Amino acid sequence: TQLLEQSPQFLSIQEGENLTVYCNSSSVFSSLQWYRQEPGEGPVLLVTVVTGGEVKKLKRLTFQFGDARKDSSLHITAAQPGDTGLYLCAGAGQGAQKLVFGQGTRLTINP
Amino acid sequence: KAGVTQTPRYLIKTRGQQVTLSCSPISGHRSVSWYQQTPGQGLQFLFEYFSETQRNKGNFPGRFSGRQFSNSRSEMNVSTLELGDSALYLCASSPRVSGNTIYFGEGSWLTVV
């Protein structure tokens, strides 16, 4: 069974600080997605990474896929209150397998 | 392009009743997946449908069922509701069978009392 572990589970920091969220597994994934979910809403896709070592930037967010395609990180620079939410990583296995989701990181950015 | 649409958004049911939730995928998407989200268990996969056929199934009891229609719209049904079924039920669509990027709807909040 493929599992994705996210850390930290909870993170509360001040506006302007930097942070990194991790998503780790012992399994290899063909691609990995990051989603952000706000209270009462469905998860919204932020990025998909498919190549080992790939780095993608989305404004102040930087996503990296590990060289071995077993892990990923999300780095936020100069966090803002609007970044508050539940961040989920999801891995796609080989072939027609269901996506595997991490438990999520609940991020709170305090003004 | 319209996103994934789920109805109803909120509903309250009594233990023992049954409920049907509906999902309209993004136009052109043929795969629909259903997830249950609770604070304690996170996102748990229920099942996936593609071209009206169930392609994957999670570890949920037989009280949870689903179907997909020829226009790719999907419904899920929960019979004999239990208090523990209270959750946010999320539908997601994708152009192809699961493993690829999926796009979520806003979810249906089910409260069982």
Side-chain angles (χ1 to χ4, degrees):
Chain A
T1 303
Q2 295 178 308
L3 292 173
L4 274 170
E5 293 187 6
Q6 285 188 242
S7 61
Q9 204 172 345
F10 299 93
L11 183 58
S12 179
I13 62 173
Q14 294 300 120
E15 182 177 0
E17 294 183 354
N18 302 332
L19 66 107
T20 302
V21 175
Y22 300 93
C23 178
N24 295 300
S25 176
S26 59
S27 302
V28 175
F29 293 97
S30 60
S31 68
L32 198 136
Q33 293 81 38
W34 284 92
Y35 295 82
R36 182 172 72 208
Q37 184 178 20
E38 299 189 20
E41 305 294 329
V44 175
L45 178 68
L46 295 175
V47 77
T48 299
V49 285
V50 297
T51 306
E54 182 177 4
V55 177
K56 279 192 174 179
K57 293 195 174 189
L58 185 65
K59 296 183 180 178
R60 294 175 294 100
L61 278 60
T62 302
F63 305 86
Q64 185 163 8
F65 201 12
D67 291 341
R69 291 185 290 139
K70 293 182 179 181
D71 55 83
S72 180
S73 65
L74 157 59
H75 182 79
I76 301 179
T77 303
Q80 299 177 0
D83 296 327
T84 293
L86 177 68
Y87 288 80
L88 295 158
C89 65
Q94 302 296 328
Q97 299 176 33
K98 63 181 187 293
L99 277 179
V100 175
F101 278 85
Q103 286 289 87
T105 293
R106 193 163 297 280
L107 175 64
T108 302
I109 309 300
N110 303 299
Chain B
K1 200 175 194 180
V4 178
T5 305
Q6 291 188 246
T7 58
R9 280 279 281 147
Y10 305 93
L11 67 166
I12 300 174
K13 291 286 188 178
T14 305
R15 268 183 305 174
Q17 287 187 314
Q18 66 95 26
V19 66
T20 299
L21 308 178
S22 181
C23 173
S24 293
I26 292 172
S27 177
H29 285 194
R30 295 169 60 193
S31 168
V32 173
S33 300
W34 288 90
Y35 290 81
Q36 182 195 65
Q37 187 176 34
T38 59
Q41 298 296 321
L43 263 172
Q44 292 194 291
F45 173 77
L46 281 157
F47 28 66
E48 180 195 11
Y49 287 86
F50 183 84
S51 293
E52 302 178 67
T53 302
Q54 188 178 90
R55 299 302 180 106
N56 283 299
K57 189 177 188 303
N59 297 320
F60 278 81
R63 300 185 296 108
F64 292 80
S65 63
R67 58 177 176 168
Q68 186 180 35
F69 302 96
S70 58
N71 62 359
S72 295
R73 193 176 68 83
S74 177
E75 288 181 347
M76 68 161 283
N77 184 278
V78 187
S79 62
T80 320
L81 284 166
E82 300 176 359
L83 295 179
D85 296 333
S86 295
L88 176 65
Y89 289 87
L90 291 162
C91 168
S93 77
S94 173
R96 300 187 292 274
V97 173
S98 188
N100 300 290
T101 302
I102 61 176
Y103 300 87
F104 286 93
E106 292 188 324
S108 292
W109 281 98
L110 170 64
T111 301
V112 182
V113 297

